[in-house]
Amino acid sequence: MMNHFNKFLIAGELLAVSVVFSSCEQVKEVQAPNIIWITSEDNSSNFLQLYDEKGVPAPNIEFLAENGIVYTHAFSNAPVCSVARSTLISSRYAPGIGAHYHRKIQQVPMPEGLRMFPAYLRDAGYYTTNNAKEDYNIIKADNVWDESSNKASWRNREENQPFFHVQNIGVTHESRLHFTAEQMQKQQNTTDSDSVFIPPYHPQNELFKYTYARYYDRNMEMDQQVGKIVNQLKEDGLLDNTFIFYFGDHGGVLPGSKGYLKEQGLKVPLVIYVPEKYKAIAHNSRGTEVDAFVSFVDFGATVLNLAGIEVPEEMDGNPFLGKGIKSKELKKRDETFSYADRFDEKYDLVRALRKGNYKYIRNYQAFNIDALQNDYRYIMLAYENWRELFKKGELDNNQSSFFRTKNPEELYDLENDPYELNNLAKDPQYAEVLNSMRNSLKEKIMDVSDLGFYPEHYFLDNAVMNPSGFGMERKDEIEKLIAIADLALLEFDDAKEGIEKSLQSDNHLERYWGLIVCSTFGEEARDFIPDIKVMTLNDQEPINRVRAAEYLALIEEEDPTVVINEALAKSTKLAESLLILNTATLLKDINSPYPLRISAELIPENLMGENYIERRVNYINNNDSE
């Protein structure tokens, strides 16, 4: 069978592309480079000594750094695998293309006119391989990979064919910390538990020390696997022709990192090995650091640029390495945008913007708690221990914040507060910074036509066939929903008229957000109790009846049990049922006074058989978890 490479040879091309650069005022042409991504799962940059003196040595990654570039401000745009990887493969912000839920209930198509970036490499004659994790929330076309499997390798290409290869390393994945109490007693770590650093937001006990030490060991094991891949390239005589990207697929993985828009969930190591012959297009001496902000949305565009392929206009990302990229311009890049939505069975809607040393987080459902039950998270003993210590009142304020309702806005000065403990959002001295960051984030989410402002079941019913097109057509509506959500940022007296208008709207989505704003204001919104009680009975949308009952329960005005069970009995949609159960889980986790119980027999059989639904019902009805 004729492959892409042979097609280009027949067409008379020397190779698919060549890279042209200027060095010492002479124009040189070199063979198109090979490019490898080595991706380790779930690890933040701080676990490596290369980034943090408290981290572990990683001699193989350090070898790449000595012969390449260390990026000190590299970020995943999402703190969880499928959304982060969807951003990487599409070069688009996930909420703008409907790829923002982890994990997908239904995959979405790529935006019209845009393909997953490896397809452009294949067109140019590259051999493209992925070994092996994909985890895309996006439908993958047949033209993306020559091979994607646990056997995929650059060694299967045609002779002299340039290649792009992705190698995933799973040894640092969260699941590697799912040890039992018995295993903890029997399995000794290489790293001494007393030598590890525990951040101030975590309990300083033996379990956390052991968990950190175990993860340090996993990072050292990961580095060894990086070394094996580099050695394979040496054996094949390819090191002089191959750019090697090493990076984590998002932050993590100790409690409160993966899944959350803190720096621990987003900031990743990124080291790029630059072959000597290509150093002119790197614009930096090998063995240097770059402080420019780069994020996953930029990675695909960067690979195309290194390969000499034009970057499609439809991509959100911008190259940060290769032809045409100037160091002076890179220094101006000081901003990154991030997002979190459903994480398995746990719903929240959070967006964040970091600019320079300031970090702004917008919690659109601030009455939620970060510690909301997520079964997979709480397999980790450290998570369960953290929660038990909170229930016993044995945590300090910093350690307890994970279990408390949030503020609608968070603002941190990361230079002076690297662990994001001191929220400056209400400090008058930072009012100007807050307003600037707030406006910048709002502009960003409107620019991408953020689909997170639609409940997931509505999105699946109406937008899933063409999410980006739907978002573009509904820009005005999205802007209106954002405006309603932002009423929560006003003083209540200033927001009251807007809330009343939204609750009385003919548009059920506006009513939905009006109710969420009421829950954010809590007791202050009591004037709306009569209207909201009527909504628990008469709103045409089951989820709105539940949101109304949620508000009344949060202020301890009315038991929501009947409303929640009736809505579950009528729902035929997985995403809608999950969102309803999210309310019930929240009320349980904040110790609501109502003895909520889910009538599982009322839930349609096809939904009760869904893993996420069953998890939620069992947790809510299990008194032992209280």
Side-chain angles (χ1 to χ4, degrees):
M1 184 174 66
M2 186 181 298
N3 64 22
H4 287 263
F5 179 68
N6 287 332
K7 288 179 183 178
F8 272 81
L9 287 178
I10 291 170
E13 298 287 345
L14 175 63
L15 274 179
V17 290
S18 62
V19 178
V20 180
F21 58 87
S22 175
S23 177
C24 300
E25 299 182 352
Q26 293 180 345
V27 176
K28 298 181 180 180
E29 185 171 305
V30 296
Q31 188 180 48
N34 307 311
I35 303 166
I36 282 186
W37 284 2
I38 304 174
T39 305
S40 58
E41 295 198 55
D42 295 5
N43 56 306
S44 311
S45 58
N46 64 289
F47 288 107
L48 300 179
Q49 200 173 82
L50 185 64
Y51 284 86
D52 188 324
E53 62 182 11
K54 296 181 287 292
V56 299
N60 295 293
I61 296 172
E62 289 164 13
F63 165 79
L64 301 180
E66 290 165 5
N67 295 278
I69 304 169
V70 175
Y71 289 83
T72 61
H73 293 88
F75 301 89
S76 173
N77 298 102
V80 64
C81 302
S82 70
V83 186
R85 290 169 181 270
S86 296
T87 301
L88 279 168
I89 200 69
S90 68
S91 299
R92 291 287 295 264
Y93 293 117
I97 62 171
H100 51 300
Y101 295 110
H102 175 83
R103 284 187 161 82
K104 70 259 180 189
I105 290 176
Q106 183 175 342
Q107 285 184 312
V108 299
M110 284 288 290
E112 187 175 346
L114 184 64
R115 294 182 289 167
M116 293 180 174
F117 79 87
Y120 299 103
L121 291 164
R122 287 191 75 193
D123 285 351
Y126 271 75
Y127 184 71
T128 63
T129 49
N130 177 63
N131 188 331
K133 184 173 182 176
E134 293 182 350
D135 206 8
Y136 310 138
N137 295 332
I138 309 168
I139 299 167
K140 182 187 69 173
D142 293 336
N143 62 1
V144 178
W145 302 111
D146 283 289
E147 183 175 1
S148 181
S149 73
N150 58 11
K151 296 181 180 179
S153 170
W154 65 82
R155 289 176 169 173
N156 299 326
R157 75 196 191 284
E158 298 287 340
E159 186 177 358
N160 294 324
Q161 184 178 7
F163 64 85
F164 172 65
H165 177 72
V166 178
Q167 188 71 38
N168 293 276
I169 297 175
V171 70
T172 49
H173 187 265
E174 175 179 12
S175 57
R176 299 306 178 102
L177 295 183
H178 289 173
F179 54 84
T180 65
E182 182 180 4
Q183 289 171 327
M184 180 178 168
Q185 294 301 317
K186 293 181 177 180
Q187 297 175 2
Q188 186 173 356
N189 296 320
T190 301
T191 301
D192 182 357
S193 292
D194 290 330
S195 72
V196 301
F197 170 77
I198 308 292
Y201 51 79
H202 278 159
Q204 311 290 305
N205 62 25
E206 292 305 313
L207 174 57
F208 269 81
K209 289 179 181 179
Y210 179 89
T211 305
Y212 268 87
R214 190 179 181 98
Y215 200 62
Y216 280 16
D217 286 359
R218 298 291 79 75
N219 274 265
M220 290 188 285
E221 186 178 349
M222 174 271 293
D223 179 69
Q224 292 172 5
Q225 293 188 23
V226 171
K228 289 180 181 178
I229 299 165
V230 174
N231 285 335
Q232 287 177 11
L233 290 168
K234 289 180 180 177
E235 291 170 8
D236 293 352
L238 294 170
L239 206 56
D240 292 340
N241 297 312
T242 305
F243 282 91
I244 305 172
F245 288 56
Y246 161 71
F247 59 95
D249 73 340
H250 52 73
V253 67
L254 278 295
S257 55
K258 181 178 180 179
Y260 302 94
L261 299 188
K262 300 293 189 179
E263 293 296 283
Q264 292 293 314
L266 297 168
K267 195 173 183 184
V268 298
L270 171 63
V271 179
I272 301 180
Y273 171 85
V274 179
E276 177 72 23
K277 69 166 67 174
Y278 297 103
K279 65 179 183 180
I281 60 171
H283 302 293
N284 285 89
S285 300
R286 298 201 303 170
T288 60
E289 293 184 351
V290 170
D291 294 330
F293 282 39
V294 300
S295 62
F296 279 8
V297 76
D298 302 315
F299 281 34
T302 299
V303 168
L304 295 183
N305 196 51
L306 284 173
I309 300 169
E310 185 176 356
V311 176
E313 293 181 359
E314 294 84 359
M315 287 184 171
D316 287 332
N318 297 295
F320 54 83
L321 193 63
K323 183 181 178 182
I325 307 303
K326 305 297 184 185
S327 297
K328 186 176 181 180
E329 186 272 333
L330 272 181
K331 291 178 181 178
K332 298 177 182 178
R333 299 191 191 184
D334 66 346
E335 189 172 294
T336 184
F337 168 56
S338 51
Y339 29 83
D341 296 85
R342 178 171 58 77
F343 189 9
D344 295 335
E345 70 269 33
K346 170 184 171 289
Y347 278 95
D348 206 352
L349 176 60
V350 188
R351 300 290 181 262
L353 186 80
R354 178 172 172 181
K355 186 173 180 61
N357 286 321
Y358 287 110
K359 174 80 166 288
Y360 174 76
I361 301 175
R362 177 71 171 93
N363 297 302
Y364 287 94
Q365 298 167 24
F367 48 90
N368 273 334
I369 58 173
D370 283 334
L372 191 71
Q373 174 69 16
N374 178 309
D375 279 25
Y376 193 74
R377 301 289 79 72
Y378 282 91
I379 294 173
M380 192 186 299
L381 295 182
Y383 258 108
E384 191 61 51
N385 174 253
W386 198 10
R387 180 163 61 185
E388 286 303 313
L389 292 174
F390 173 74
K391 290 178 179 179
K392 292 177 181 178
E394 297 179 6
L395 301 178
D396 63 29
N397 285 335
N398 290 331
Q399 296 163 352
S400 298
S401 63
F402 188 69
F403 301 89
R404 296 190 177 123
T405 55
K406 300 181 283 188
N407 292 300
E409 294 181 296
E410 300 174 49
L411 178 68
Y412 300 102
D413 176 359
L414 297 175
E415 184 174 12
N416 297 305
D417 180 22
Y419 301 112
E420 296 163 274
L421 302 174
N422 181 25
N423 185 5
L424 304 171
K426 295 182 180 179
D427 188 331
Q429 295 183 33
Y430 292 87
E432 186 175 344
V433 175
L434 176 69
N435 190 57
S436 175
M437 298 289 282
R438 176 194 295 159
N439 290 336
S440 293
L441 178 66
K442 186 174 181 179
E443 288 175 9
K444 175 63 75 173
I445 61 178
M446 288 194 297
D447 182 58
V448 303
S449 297
D450 194 320
L451 296 166
F453 290 86
Y454 293 106
E456 186 177 12
H457 61 277
Y458 179 87
F459 164 78
L460 291 171
D461 284 347
N462 296 276
V464 73
M465 301 307 293
N466 183 14
S468 57
F470 182 88
M472 292 300 293
E473 292 172 1
R474 300 290 188 95
K475 267 188 173 292
D476 290 344
E477 182 175 64
I478 293 171
E479 184 174 355
K480 182 66 177 294
L481 298 179
I482 293 169
I484 295 172
D486 281 349
L487 291 172
L489 304 182
L490 304 177
E491 295 295 329
F492 179 73
D493 288 343
D494 296 326
K496 189 173 180 180
E497 182 179 348
I499 295 172
E500 183 175 20
K501 186 177 179 181
S502 67
L503 294 178
Q504 295 175 355
S505 173
D506 292 333
N507 185 324
H508 65 95
L509 297 166
E510 293 182 13
R511 299 196 301 275
Y512 175 84
W513 275 104
L515 289 163
I516 288 174
V517 171
C518 286
S519 291
T520 300
F521 276 113
E523 291 286 344
E524 289 184 275
R526 276 187 165 271
D527 287 351
F528 294 114
I529 286 177
D531 293 333
I532 292 175
K533 284 187 174 182
V534 171
M535 293 177 77
T536 64
L537 302 172
N538 297 336
D539 198 284
Q540 295 178 351
E541 293 294 323
I543 192 59
N544 284 358
R545 294 198 291 275
V546 172
R547 285 295 189 191
E550 178 179 60
Y551 169 70
L552 296 173
L554 287 171
I555 62 169
E556 301 185 7
E557 179 68 23
E558 191 168 281
D559 189 333
T561 303
V562 172
V563 175
I564 288 174
N565 277 300
E566 286 181 349
L568 285 170
K570 293 178 181 178
S571 177
T572 60
K573 303 166 185 176
L574 173 58
E576 183 179 49
S577 296
L578 277 176
L579 193 53
I580 293 167
L581 288 168
N582 202 73
T583 289
T585 304
L586 172 65
L587 294 173
K588 178 185 177 75
D589 281 355
I590 63 171
N591 295 318
S592 167
Y594 304 109
L596 187 64
R597 186 167 184 83
I598 301 301
S599 300
E601 67 276 6
L602 298 178
I603 299 174
E605 186 175 346
N606 67 310
L607 291 181
M608 194 57 205
E610 291 284 349
N611 189 29
Y612 287 159
I613 298 290
E614 188 175 1
R615 285 183 192 176
R616 278 296 193 223
V617 172
N618 289 342
Y619 174 74
I620 294 163
N621 289 344
N622 182 9
N623 291 328
D624 292 340
S625 62
E626 293 177 356

